[in-house]
Amino acid sequence: MRDAILDNLLCSEALPDGVRCFFCGTDKGVEYKCVTCIGRPVFCQDCCVKSHVHNPFHQIHQWMDEHFKRITLRKLGLRIRMGHHGSPCPEFPGNHFNFTFTRFKDDEMVFVDKSGVWTFPVSYCNCITRKSRVEQILDMGLYPGSFKTPKTAFSMELLDYFYFDLMECHTPASNFFSKLRRLTNNVDPKSVTDRYRELMVAARQWNDLQAMKWAGVCLDPASSPGNGRLALFCAPCPQPGVNLPDGWEKMLIENPYVYRRQVNPDGNFGAPNMKTKKPEKDVSLTDGDGSFVAPAPYDGHLKATPDVKERSTCSNLKAVSNANANRKELECTGIGGCVCARHGCVIPHSVVDFQKGEQQKNMDYCISNALSFNSEGLPEAAVIYDLACQWGIHFVDRMKRSTTMSIPPFERLITAVGKFHLGSHVDKCFYRHSLNFVEGTGQVDGEIIETLWSGLNPISAMARSMTKAHRREVLDDAMRDWNWKKLTGIISSLATKWEKAVEEEEESRTSFQNMTSRLEKELTDKWEDEETEALEKGGDALAIYGVRHKEAPSMAEIRLELAKSESSTGIESGATTWLVTGMNLQEALIKLSRSVAALRGGGTVAERTKIEEQRRKLRPRVTAFQSASESFYSIAGEKESSSELNISTDQEIVADDPFQDSDDEDEECVNRPENVKLKLPSVVIPEMDEPSPQAKKLAEHEINLRKGQANDALRGLRVQLGYKALLYLKQVRKAPSYAKRTRAWDNVNANEKKVDEWVSIYHLARSSMVNLGASEDVLAIYQQITPPDLKIPKDIYQPNRPNQRSEAMSWIWQCRCHTESGCVASTDLRALEVYRVNWLRGKAHRARWQEEKVLVLEEMQNTIRWFQHRGRTWEERKTTALRLQKPGHASYARKQIILSNKFLTTAQETFRKVVLTKKKKKGPKQGPQVLETVHEVQEPGDDSETDAHPEDELDADHIFS
């Protein structure tokens, strides 16, 4: 097939035999072919010109020298005539020219179309009723490059094409015009007339005019543009006077969170702006009409508000540390903006420029404008910001003190942190600001603004070197286009959200009921009361969703207590110090033994020397301890315990010295300190036939100390496992090259050695407790460590992940010697604590999905009312246009009315269908159940076994009408 297509393409390069003109039928001079017209017809010269009077930008090829050669219509005699739809001007009435009414002389203009750059002679209309040159050019569907004496014109189709090429393909203007030059002459592009600068100016003006046209500015004489007037906003988000039902204020008691303005602010340092040489010549076409705030009030705010040197007390993110960073070569270091947290639409008149970094005064102005846009009367607002834990502390106070900012009097202002950024905050921020526990948020991740930055940054990179005003306008266009795409996809998006919300709510409700059925009602009632109280208090009280514990005592703390009680317990003075010395010496011997085993018979001279140096230092310490041990054992006939046995631990320790010849190994092994068995009670007492009372007291003493040693080992193990997770996330995954990734893995391997070291020490402590006859309750707390226990616990380092209900933490992260209620003596209490945390989080998870159903259903109705409001608005504009006798304005208004009605019909049909489909899948309900409004849905916090299902009780035909 490829050969056949190639053959066809080559055959079209020849002039067919016996060809005739497509229009007049002559066979003479038929040597012109239009490769742009469908069918590629062949013409004679006269017919070619006549047929292209209204298509002057088609590509014409002439048959000459046995091949087709490209030729322009200008060379064939085509002239572009203005004012009479391509026909010559009759210059009616003919005797009207004088010194005040001069003739428009014929001229030559450069025309830029998406097919290339063309030059044609131009004739203007010179009738007595003629329009100006600019108006005649506009009537031809062209846009002039200047307005005084136009020498260049751009086809409106080209300007639209350039707009979409910029929005979708992120093509810079220079590259776009280079493409046009190559389309015109791919052999010598530089020979094509350069109109790059004129394109930049014309496109800037055209986009501004289109924005005003789309916003209906010319049809709204009573309302002047400003404060986001040219921007689109989110259809589902609650906006009083736009998409809320009549009397919505009376429905606040039911579910006030459905009328909550949720905003997601963030800074973006991927949109800087270079300083220009002549900023005084910068001209702005907009003044806060789009997504950017008005420049003059914003500059006044910056001058009136002092800089605040922020210190990060929580997050390890770069936003705070970069807040005071300054770059001399930049006019702006980035931008800050707000989107609606549930749908990602940019909030009009909320985007600001950064002068140094993401400073508090910048973001305050951004957020205050976002909260104020079309929100007067809303009862609640939520700000989901990655620095909310620090930024939100005094935000309301700053608004009260400020003379340049204000927000509506919300009854409740909530702050939260997005789920991705929350992992970089300290632990207490998780409970205070996690969206998992904020009532009324539904299912939002608080990171939706990152999708805006990913789409905006390629355009921001191109706008980097533009003037400040031009850059703002380009980014305004991009954010307006972003909101338009959100609007066109909102119907299907809400339908998908509803389907997911119904399924997930059912799953979470079933899972929560199953968990509740396994627990005593007294417990769940108690936990529910605690949760209610915590939600009312907020702040640190929300730590109820985490494991409640106090840290286990360290060996140093236990040693201090035992030393104080030596005299009262009958233990010989100095026994505690002697036991701790022996245990510390055991740990040192373990580390030495592991170092020997790690060399595996090799190693450098320096490494082998280091091993011998460690042995030299430990040998006298071992000898001194063994000698001091004799005074603490008073039983006659005590067995000598200085046999050369390996250290007994649950984990095998390699004792063979790789530096020793096998013939001398048995003899040398005796002298190695790492192979000596220390005379501790855990070693000596198990070999006694009948331990003395003094020996039993020593055993109890050592058990207590071994608990502290085990606690220290578990604490060190948790730290190293956490550090391992951070190494993997921060170094291994983000390594930009193979070399750096290799070094990162070296760090991980070094960390693994420390993990193994702590495991060995823990096994030593546990095996000693076993030898000393520790109780089953103690051994139940200090369990064996297995490989699965060494996995990173996601509840600790990724607490805001999905699917938490099916996961359980390893016991090493739950093992504590004390809780708030007292001493843990069995695993049942620890398991109960895990049940409590899982039950509360499962309850919160179910509540968020119930809220999601209520919110999505309300958003469906808001969207329908938004399209109805838009249709009414354009109907009023149409009436105004007809009254002012502007038929073109009225026609455009009618076009917008039809578009709004089309969206409205699609929304009603889609929402009705998706709600009824889910209702049928769940089966019919008993009796008639018609709900007048969505606000009668059962409260999400209701814990009854038979939860209400909004989709079961809805009269979809009534609600979506």
Side-chain angles (χ1 to χ4, degrees), residues 213-226:
K213 177 182 175 183
W214 295 334
V217 170
C218 294
L219 300 173
D220 284 339
S223 60
S224 59

Side-chain angles (χ1 to χ4, degrees), residues 305-582:
T305 308
D307 293 338
V308 178
K309 300 291 183 180
E310 300 176 64
R311 292 186 61 187
S312 178
T313 58
C314 166
S315 176
N316 65 1
L317 302 176
K318 296 181 179 179
V320 174
S321 59
N322 286 343
N324 301 302
N326 192 10
R327 299 182 181 178
K328 296 182 179 180
E329 74 278 6
L330 295 180
E331 178 71 23
C332 304
T333 58
I335 61 174
C338 277
V339 301
C340 65
R342 288 191 56 81
H343 315 101
C345 289
V346 182
I347 301 177
H349 199 258
S350 68
V351 181
V352 300
D353 283 320
F354 292 154
Q355 290 68 44
K356 292 183 179 180
E358 194 172 340
Q359 290 186 306
Q360 192 176 78
K361 62 181 181 181
N362 300 119
M363 295 308 298
D364 280 352
Y365 198 83
C366 165
I367 295 170
S368 64
N369 277 277
L371 293 176
S372 302
F373 186 82
N374 282 4
S375 62
E376 194 65 37
L378 293 181
E380 298 182 356
V383 180
I384 307 173
Y385 183 28
D386 56 6
L387 299 176
C389 59
Q390 186 166 323
W391 162 86
I393 297 175
H394 302 296
F395 173 68
V396 176
D397 294 336
R398 294 196 297 272
M399 292 297 105
K400 293 178 180 178
R401 294 194 304 265
S402 176
T403 59
T404 58
M405 299 180 294
S406 65
I407 59 174
F410 297 113
E411 297 176 9
R412 186 183 182 195
L413 182 61
I414 302 166
T415 58
V417 178
K419 293 185 177 182
F420 173 78
H421 288 90
L422 191 60
S424 299
H425 287 238
V426 296
D427 291 343
K428 66 179 181 180
C429 282
F430 171 63
Y431 307 109
R432 286 181 174 182
H433 303 287
S434 173
L435 290 166
N436 293 341
F437 312 131
V438 178
E439 292 181 295
T441 56
Q443 289 294 332
V444 295
D445 57 15
E447 305 290 351
I448 197 168
I449 193 171
E450 301 296 340
T451 62
L452 169 67
W453 299 148
S454 64
L456 195 66
N457 282 346
I459 299 177
S460 302
M462 293 181 291
R464 177 186 176 96
S465 58
M466 294 179 179
T467 65
K468 192 173 183 179
H470 190 188
R471 165 181 163 272
R472 278 200 299 262
E473 292 159 15
V474 170
L475 295 182
D476 261 337
D477 292 337
M479 287 183 272
R480 185 185 303 109
D481 184 70
W482 175 270
N483 281 8
W484 171 252
K485 289 188 289 187
K486 288 285 184 180
L487 179 63
T488 56
I490 195 63
I491 297 174
S492 59
S493 175
L494 289 177
T496 302
K497 282 187 175 182
W498 172 258
E499 291 175 341
K500 183 175 182 181
V502 172
E503 293 174 0
E504 293 291 340
E505 190 275 337
E506 175 70 19
E507 180 182 344
S508 63
R509 181 168 54 86
T510 302
S511 175
F512 179 71
Q513 289 177 351
N514 291 339
M515 185 188 304
T516 303
S517 65
R518 301 191 191 103
L519 299 169
E520 296 180 0
K521 191 174 186 302
E522 294 180 0
L523 281 175
T524 57
D525 289 345
K526 175 185 176 183
W527 295 341
E528 186 175 356
D529 292 340
E530 292 175 351
E531 182 196 33
T532 302
E533 182 180 356
L535 290 173
E536 291 177 355
K537 292 181 178 179
D540 291 334
L542 294 176
I544 190 175
Y545 290 104
V547 178
R548 298 180 294 191
H549 66 269
K550 295 181 181 178
E551 282 295 332
S554 64
M555 188 167 69
E557 293 170 339
I558 294 177
R559 173 186 178 181
L560 178 62
E561 293 297 324
L562 292 178
K564 290 179 181 179
S565 62
E566 281 182 355
S567 58
S568 61
T569 56
I571 296 292
E572 186 174 346
S573 178
T576 302
T577 302
W578 168 71
L579 287 171
V580 170
T581 301

Side-chain angles (χ1 to χ4, degrees), residues 714-815:
L714 290 173
R715 189 178 295 110
L717 183 59
R718 288 191 289 267
V719 170
Q720 292 302 324
L721 289 175
Y723 182 56
K724 177 183 176 182
L726 293 177
L727 283 175
Y728 180 73
L729 293 174
K730 299 296 184 181
Q731 293 187 16
V732 176
R733 293 181 62 181
K734 296 185 178 181
S737 64
Y738 177 80
K740 290 188 177 181
R741 189 176 296 110
T742 301
R743 286 193 290 271
W745 276 113
D746 289 341
N747 293 336
V748 172
N749 293 333
N751 171 263
E752 281 282 6
K753 294 179 181 178
K754 294 181 179 179
V755 169
D756 293 341
E757 190 174 286
W758 283 117
V759 171
S760 297
I761 293 173
Y762 175 81
H763 283 155
L764 171 64
R766 188 180 188 280
S767 63
S768 297
M769 285 190 278
V770 171
N771 292 340
L772 292 168
S775 66
E776 292 183 1
D777 287 341
V778 172
L779 296 180
I781 295 175
Y782 299 100
Q783 305 172 33
Q784 289 275 9
I785 293 180
T786 59
D789 294 325
L790 300 180
K791 292 182 178 179
I792 306 298
K794 295 181 180 180
D795 266 326
I796 303 298
Y797 291 98
Q798 196 182 358
N800 53 341
R801 73 200 182 284
N803 302 321
Q804 298 183 32
R805 300 186 311 275
S806 60
E807 298 176 357
M809 288 189 291
S810 166
W811 70 270
I812 66 173
W813 298 91
Q814 299 293 330
C815 183

